[in-house]
Coordinates of all heavy atoms in Angstrom, one line a residue:
Y11 N -108.9 -113.1 92.6 CA -107.9 -113.1 93.7 C -107.4 -111.7 93.9 O -106.9 -111.0 93.0 CB -106.8 -114.0 93.4 CG -107.1 -115.5 93.5 CD1 -107.3 -116.3 92.4 CD2 -107.4 -116.1 94.8 CE1 -107.6 -117.6 92.5 CE2 -107.7 -117.4 94.9 CZ -107.9 -118.2 93.7 OH -108.2 -119.5 93.9
N12 N -107.5 -111.2 95.1 CA -106.9 -110.0 95.6 C -106.3 -110.3 96.9 O -106.3 -111.4 97.4 CB -107.9 -108.8 95.6 CG -109.1 -109.1 96.5 OD1 -109.0 -109.9 97.4 ND2 -110.2 -108.6 96.2
E13 N -105.7 -109.3 97.6 CA -105.1 -109.5 98.9 C -106.0 -110.1 99.9 O -105.7 -111.0 100.6 CB -104.5 -108.1 99.4 CG -103.7 -108.3 100.6 CD -103.0 -107.0 101.1 OE1 -102.6 -106.2 100.2 OE2 -102.7 -106.9 102.3
E14 N -107.2 -109.5 100.0 CA -108.2 -110.0 101.0 C -108.5 -111.5 100.8 O -108.6 -112.3 101.7 CB -109.4 -109.2 100.9 CG -110.5 -109.6 101.9 CD -111.8 -108.9 101.7 OE1 -111.8 -107.7 101.2 OE2 -112.9 -109.5 101.9
R15 N -108.7 -111.9 99.5 CA -109.1 -113.2 99.2 C -108.0 -114.2 99.4 O -108.2 -115.4 99.7 CB -109.7 -113.3 97.8 CG -111.1 -112.6 97.9 CD -111.8 -112.7 96.6 NE -113.2 -112.2 96.8 CZ -114.0 -111.9 95.8 NH1 -113.6 -112.1 94.5 NH2 -115.2 -111.5 96.0
I16 N -106.8 -113.8 99.1 CA -105.6 -114.6 99.4 C -105.5 -114.9 100.9 O -105.2 -116.0 101.3 CB -104.3 -113.9 98.9 CG1 -104.3 -113.8 97.3 CG2 -103.0 -114.7 99.4 CD1 -104.1 -115.1 96.6
K17 N -105.8 -113.9 101.7 CA -105.8 -114.1 103.1 C -106.8 -115.1 103.6 O -106.6 -116.0 104.4 CB -106.0 -112.8 103.9 CG -104.8 -111.8 103.8 CD -105.1 -110.5 104.5 CE -103.9 -109.6 104.4 NZ -104.2 -108.3 105.0
K18 N -108.0 -115.0 103.0 CA -109.1 -116.0 103.3 C -108.7 -117.4 102.8 O -109.0 -118.4 103.5 CB -110.4 -115.6 102.6 CG -111.1 -114.4 103.3 CD -112.5 -114.2 102.7 CE -113.3 -113.1 103.4 NZ -113.8 -113.6 104.7
L19 N -108.2 -117.5 101.6 CA -107.7 -118.8 101.1 C -106.7 -119.4 102.0 O -106.8 -120.6 102.4 CB -107.2 -118.7 99.7 CG -106.6 -119.9 99.0 CD1 -107.6 -121.0 98.9 CD2 -106.0 -119.6 97.7
S20 N -105.7 -118.6 102.4 CA -104.6 -119.1 103.3 C -105.2 -119.6 104.6 O -104.8 -120.6 105.1 CB -103.6 -118.0 103.5 OG -102.6 -118.4 104.4
A21 N -106.1 -118.8 105.2 CA -106.7 -119.2 106.5 C -107.4 -120.5 106.4 O -107.4 -121.3 107.2 CB -107.6 -118.0 107.0
C22 N -108.2 -120.6 105.3 CA -108.9 -121.9 105.1 C -108.0 -123.1 104.9 O -108.3 -124.1 105.5 CB -109.9 -121.7 103.9 SG -111.0 -123.2 103.6
V23 N -107.0 -122.9 104.1 CA -106.0 -124.0 103.9 C -105.4 -124.5 105.2 O -105.4 -125.6 105.6 CB -104.9 -123.7 102.9 CG1 -103.8 -124.7 102.9 CG2 -105.5 -123.5 101.5
H24 N -105.0 -123.5 106.0 CA -104.3 -123.8 107.3 C -105.3 -124.3 108.3 O -105.0 -125.2 109.1 CB -103.5 -122.6 107.8 CG -102.3 -122.5 107.0 ND1 -101.1 -123.1 107.4 CD2 -102.0 -121.8 105.8 CE1 -100.2 -122.8 106.5 NE2 -100.7 -122.1 105.5
S25 N -106.5 -123.8 108.4 CA -107.5 -124.3 109.3 C -108.0 -125.7 108.9 O -108.4 -126.5 109.8 CB -108.7 -123.3 109.5 OG -109.5 -123.3 108.4
T26 N -108.0 -126.0 107.7 CA -108.5 -127.3 107.2 C -107.4 -128.4 107.4 O -107.8 -129.5 107.9 CB -108.8 -127.2 105.7 OG1 -109.9 -126.2 105.6 CG2 -109.4 -128.5 105.2
F27 N -106.2 -128.1 107.1 CA -105.2 -129.2 107.1 C -104.0 -129.0 108.1 O -103.2 -129.9 108.2 CB -104.6 -129.5 105.7 CG -105.6 -130.1 104.8 CD1 -106.2 -129.4 103.8 CD2 -106.0 -131.4 105.0 CE1 -107.1 -130.0 102.9 CE2 -106.9 -132.0 104.2 CZ -107.5 -131.3 103.2
H28 N -103.9 -127.9 108.7 CA -102.8 -127.7 109.6 C -103.2 -127.3 111.0 O -102.4 -126.8 111.8 CB -101.9 -126.6 109.0 CG -101.4 -126.9 107.6 ND1 -100.5 -127.8 107.3 CD2 -101.8 -126.4 106.4 CE1 -100.3 -127.9 106.0 NE2 -101.1 -127.1 105.4
M29 N -104.4 -127.6 111.4 CA -104.9 -127.3 112.7 C -104.2 -128.1 113.8 O -104.0 -127.7 114.9 CB -106.4 -127.5 112.8 CG -107.1 -127.0 114.1 SD -106.7 -125.3 114.5 CE -107.7 -124.4 113.4
N30 N -103.9 -129.4 113.4 CA -103.2 -130.3 114.4 C -101.9 -129.6 114.9 O -101.6 -129.7 116.1 CB -102.9 -131.6 113.8 CG -104.2 -132.4 113.6 OD1 -105.3 -132.1 114.1 ND2 -104.1 -133.5 112.8
F31 N -101.2 -129.1 114.0 CA -99.9 -128.4 114.3 C -100.2 -127.3 115.3 O -99.5 -127.1 116.3 CB -99.2 -127.9 113.1 CG -98.0 -127.0 113.4 CD1 -96.8 -127.6 113.9 CD2 -98.1 -125.6 113.3 CE1 -95.7 -126.8 114.2 CE2 -97.0 -124.8 113.7 CZ -95.8 -125.4 114.1
K32 N -101.2 -126.4 115.0 CA -101.5 -125.3 115.8 C -101.9 -125.8 117.2 O -101.6 -125.1 118.2 CB -102.6 -124.5 115.2 CG -102.2 -123.6 114.1 CD -103.4 -122.7 113.6 CE -103.0 -121.9 112.5 NZ -104.1 -121.0 112.0
I33 N -102.7 -126.8 117.3 CA -103.2 -127.3 118.6 C -102.0 -127.8 119.4 O -101.8 -127.5 120.6 CB -104.2 -128.5 118.4 CG1 -105.5 -127.9 117.8 CG2 -104.5 -129.2 119.7 CD1 -106.5 -128.9 117.4
V34 N -101.1 -128.6 118.8 CA -99.9 -129.2 119.5 C -99.0 -128.0 119.9 O -98.5 -128.0 121.1 CB -99.2 -130.2 118.7 CG1 -97.8 -130.6 119.3 CG2 -100.1 -131.4 118.5

Side-chain angles (χ1 to χ4, degrees):
Y11 287 106
N12 57 27
E13 185 173 333
E14 177 188 330
R15 289 183 174 168
I16 294 290
K17 287 178 181 178
K18 285 187 175 282
L19 175 61
S20 177
C22 184
V23 168
H24 284 271
S25 71
T26 301
F27 288 110
H28 304 287
M29 187 57 71
N30 291 346
F31 170 77
K32 283 184 181 180
I33 291 169
V34 170

